[in-house]
Amino acid sequence: ERISIRYSDEIIICEEERINQIPYKFKKEVRVLQNIPSFKTLDFLYKEEKYLFYNCKKTISYVGGFYKERFLDELIQIAEEEYINLNIAGYGDKELENKCLELSKLPNVKYYGKVSYKEGLNIMYNSDLIYAMYCTTNKNHIFAAPNKYYEAMLLGKPIISNSGTILSAKILMNKTGLIIEESSDELKNLILTVTSNEIDELSSNAKSLWEKTYINKVDEFLRTDYSKIIK
């Protein structure tokens, strides 16, 4: 990656902060296009019974790759202890897949396996909170630039993540989610203390930021920066 960037005519990165991962300076302009979802319509989003739980627990969703470094063991643990409802989809680590399959027998866990992008968004849309944790002992994770951050705004949902990353700084600055430390106790405490009013306020902040800043960002980039590149 470092070699290809050095010899590229044009450079596009997904967050401004990620330039700090590149070990040399550029004479050329570095453009930024975040991992922003782009849809002409959102009519594929709707409340659907298969994603819903009929109890008073908060519903957390995770849609993505199954890796230990995403703190999925901790998420699954508190679901197993029935502190939350869990909507989870994805694949990867077979141990995690098997655990989710086993827990899907519980009334508070639904495991969907591998899903399409739009179905993944629907799963998150039918949840109260979106889960996006990263392991800061992995240096790349400190610079994680997940599309979940922008998907959460699109959906008007708060995101849960951990401190020590560029993602957490953005969440705190924009008040679009909740930041915890990397432990199951922290996650459990968050679930026990967060209120519906707090979730509603964070949801409103997320949706407002999406509509003010990001809703047309991809189209604007294609019309301006990208048009200049291909000409």
Side-chain angles (χ1 to χ4, degrees):
E1 288 175 347
R2 291 171 180 175
I3 292 171
S4 63
I5 287 173
R6 183 186 286 276
Y7 292 103
S8 296
D9 294 314
E10 302 289 346
I11 301 166
I12 303 171
I13 58 177
C14 58
E15 293 289 349
E16 289 181 17
E17 295 88 346
R18 296 201 81 164
I19 200 167
N20 295 318
Q21 289 182 287
I22 304 169
Y24 40 77
K25 293 186 178 180
F26 299 102
K27 294 180 181 178
K28 65 193 82 173
E29 179 184 4
V30 177
R31 294 178 168 87
V32 178
L33 177 62
Q34 297 92 342
N35 287 321
I36 303 169
S38 180
F39 294 100
K40 298 301 181 186
T41 176
L42 297 177
D43 59 4
F44 60 89
L45 294 176
Y46 49 88
K47 295 294 181 183
E48 188 170 344
E49 182 143 352
K50 70 176 181 178
Y51 303 128
L52 301 177
F53 300 88
Y54 295 95
N55 59 47
C56 60
K57 297 181 178 74
K58 301 291 186 298
T59 299
I60 296 181
S61 65
Y62 176 82
V63 179
F66 281 15
Y67 307 108
K68 298 285 186 180
E69 289 182 328
R70 295 291 179 85
F71 292 96
L72 295 181
D73 280 324
E74 290 79 357
L75 178 64
I76 290 169
Q77 178 188 330
I78 70 163
E80 187 173 14
E81 295 171 359
E82 300 191 23
Y83 282 94
I84 59 168
N85 297 318
L86 177 60
N87 269 327
I88 186 164
Y91 63 100
D93 184 292
K94 291 300 178 185
E95 184 182 336
L96 289 171
E97 286 184 24
N98 291 337
K99 186 67 174 177
C100 288
L101 191 59
E102 179 186 337
L103 291 186
S104 64
K105 298 171 185 175
L106 297 175
N108 63 308
V109 177
K110 295 185 180 184
Y111 172 49
Y112 305 92
K114 185 178 181 179
V115 297
S116 68
Y117 185 43
K118 286 185 177 180
E119 184 176 2
L121 289 174
N122 244 328
I123 290 167
M124 291 187 280
Y125 180 67
N126 282 274
S127 303
D128 299 309
L129 298 153
I130 294 171
Y131 191 74
M133 296 280 284
Y134 294 88
C135 182
T136 53
T137 57
N138 181 330
K139 291 183 179 179
N140 280 333
H141 279 209
I142 294 172
F143 292 93
N147 48 10
K148 280 188 184 63
Y149 175 62
Y150 299 99
E151 289 165 357
M153 287 185 216
L154 166 76
L155 301 171
K157 302 292 178 179
I159 189 167
I160 299 173
S161 195
N162 55 288
S163 62
T165 67
I166 65 170
L167 173 62
S168 64
K170 293 176 187 296
I171 291 169
L172 289 172
M173 178 177 67
N174 294 306
K175 299 180 180 178
T176 57
L178 299 153
I179 301 301
I180 60 175
E181 298 305 318
E182 300 170 17
S183 78
S184 56
D185 286 340
E186 281 271 322
L187 180 57
K188 192 180 297 183
N189 184 61
L190 171 66
I191 295 304
L192 291 173
T193 57
V194 69
T195 66
S196 296
N197 286 341
E198 287 177 283
I199 291 174
D200 289 345
E201 184 177 349
L202 294 169
S203 297
S204 178
N205 292 344
K207 194 64 176 178
S208 177
L209 184 59
W210 171 259
E211 291 174 349
K212 288 178 182 176
T213 307
Y214 296 107
I215 191 169
N216 296 314
K217 194 77 177 285
V218 174
D219 286 344
E220 289 168 1
F221 183 88
L222 294 175
R223 283 197 305 268
T224 56
D225 294 67
Y226 190 67
S227 292
K228 290 176 185 176
I229 290 172
I230 61 176
K231 287 177 182 178

